[in-house]
Amino acid sequence: MEPLYLLSQVAVNCYVMITGYFLIIKTDYRWSGVVHVVIQTLFYSLVFLLLAVLLKYDYSKTQLLKSFFPIHQWGYWFVTVYVGLLLIAPLLSRIASTLTKRQFQIVLAVLFVMNFQYLYGNVYAGHRTIIFFGFLFLLAGYIKIHGVPQWILNHRTKLFVGIWLCLTILASLVNLEKGNFELIGTAYDGPILFLSVMTFIVFINAKLDGRFCQVIARLAPYTFGVYLIHTNCFVNDHLWSLLPSEYNYPIIVHCVLFCVLLFIICVAIDFIRDCLFKLVRADVLIKRISDKLPQL
């Protein structure tokens, strides 16, 4: 399970890096994106709260606060930090536009030391902080503006596999001692950072076309909804208890099938949400709110 677990952990870092890759050249505030994220998050928080009330679920005061204030109360830690990143993204982009390539490299080197878990990551930042997200944003922005060294591009697949295998071996050794993946699996600013960067580099240079690319493009808009649904404070408490305590097949088969089924169900739910938003013209509300906010 270690290889799949480690590979799944790159998702958060890569999502933030994708944001940096596309927004690094945008120096104006994109309020519509921020407002849409907030409204979609609030929608799911209140919907699941309503379902909890209707089903007479015994919820706590903490869950109630997270539902009404999902961003302020860390109802979704990723959204809380991600919204903050979107708010400072134009400032980061403007700073990046003034830097020479050499200056940009120095800035990234300093930020790496400040953010990497085994250097000063636990002192200045942390894997769930806006400082770390800002580092990922600028790192992807550097790749967008200045590219990747040719030797890395030439051997990107080998480097990706090599890092993946090394982390798998290290995770296995740690797992034998501690029984979990605390060293690598849960810290986005730990060694998993290197696998995240290589995964990002591999995919931005991959030539994807045909039917597969079309499917990915169709599903991509709903992935954020998948996150909001399955990590909701009411859903997450009971979701993984659905896995059986005994397995008739290898556990990896159960886990993969469960994750695929969960993804499909969540995509279907978010598709319905998207249709509802279109029906009530939520885009008009988002535009009105965005237009009233100050521009940089």
Side-chain angles (χ1 to χ4, degrees), residues 239-243 253-263:
L239 181 62
W240 301 109
S241 64
L242 297 177
L243 285 172
V253 175
H254 284 273
C255 291
V256 170
L257 290 178
F258 181 78
C259 291
V260 170
L261 180 61
L262 176 64
F263 181 80

Side-chain angles (χ1 to χ4, degrees), residues 249-282:
Y249 301 98
I251 186 174
I252 188 172
V253 175
H254 284 273
C255 291
V256 170
L257 290 178
F258 181 78
C259 291
V260 170
L261 180 61
L262 176 64
F263 181 80
I264 293 174
I265 293 174
C266 290
V267 165
I269 295 173
D270 198 54
F271 175 78
I272 296 174
R273 188 274 315 161
D274 186 51
C275 292
L276 179 62
F277 272 32
K278 291 177 179 177
L279 182 64
V280 300
R281 302 292 301 277

Side-chain angles (χ1 to χ4, degrees), residues 19 23 26-38 71 78-94 130 133-134 137 290 293-296:
T19 302
L23 294 189
K26 305 289 186 180
T27 57
D28 57 324
Y29 267 110
R30 298 172 59 86
W31 287 112
S32 59
V34 178
V35 175
H36 187 276
V37 168
V38 172
I71 296 177
F78 177 80
V79 180
T80 300
V81 183
Y82 188 68
V83 167
L85 176 66
L86 292 179
L87 291 175
I88 66 171
L91 302 178
L92 295 177
S93 298
R94 291 203 172 197
I130 195 170
F133 274 33
F137 182 96
S290 302
L293 297 172
Q295 300 297 317
L296 183 64

